[in-house]
Amino acid sequence: MDYGFDICWFSDINYNEMTVLIKFKGQDIAQINKDKGIDMLEIEIFTEYTHPDFIPIIQKFMLSDFLNALNEAIKILGG
């Protein structure tokens, strides 16, 4: 995706259905799952990071770019 976002889809063992991971410039920032169905998607926004080189101040990004990333994630999940 443009603007530093990447969407990775995978099956997380913590969920029954497919999940997608949203990254911003290589940092995991959110995960969306569809365990409750496509009309009730849940998003987990990560507040803790495990990378030893993580800089706690993530660069700001445009809300519209993040919404575009979320819409792309929903498409991947079948919505």
Side-chain angles (χ1 to χ4, degrees), residues 6-12 17-23 31-32 34 72-78:
D6 290 309
I7 310 266
C8 307
W9 42 312
F10 65 101
S11 182
D12 185 322
E17 297 291 334
M18 182 65 73
T19 63
V20 293
L21 179 66
I22 300 175
K23 295 180 174 224
Q31 181 173 326
I32 301 174
K34 67 173 192 174
E72 184 65 27
I74 291 168
K75 287 180 194 173
I76 289 170
L77 291 171

Side-chain angles (χ1 to χ4, degrees), residues 13-56:
I13 62 170
N14 296 313
Y15 298 99
N16 294 322
E17 297 291 334
M18 182 65 73
T19 63
V20 293
L21 179 66
I22 300 175
K23 295 180 174 224
F24 180 68
K25 295 189 176 183
Q27 295 287 339
D28 300 348
I29 62 168
Q31 181 173 326
I32 301 174
N33 78 75
K34 67 173 192 174
D35 272 5
K36 295 180 180 177
I38 197 66
D39 293 328
M40 295 185 67
L41 296 176
E42 296 178 314
I43 185 168
E44 177 181 0
I45 298 178
F46 301 131
T47 58
E48 295 181 16
Y49 296 86
T50 57
H51 297 281
D53 61 343
F54 174 71
I55 299 170

Side-chain angles (χ1 to χ4, degrees), residues 63-79:
L63 178 59
S64 59
D65 295 341
F66 186 56
L67 291 174
N68 286 336
L70 292 176
N71 285 329
E72 184 65 27
I74 291 168
K75 287 180 194 173
I76 289 170
L77 291 171

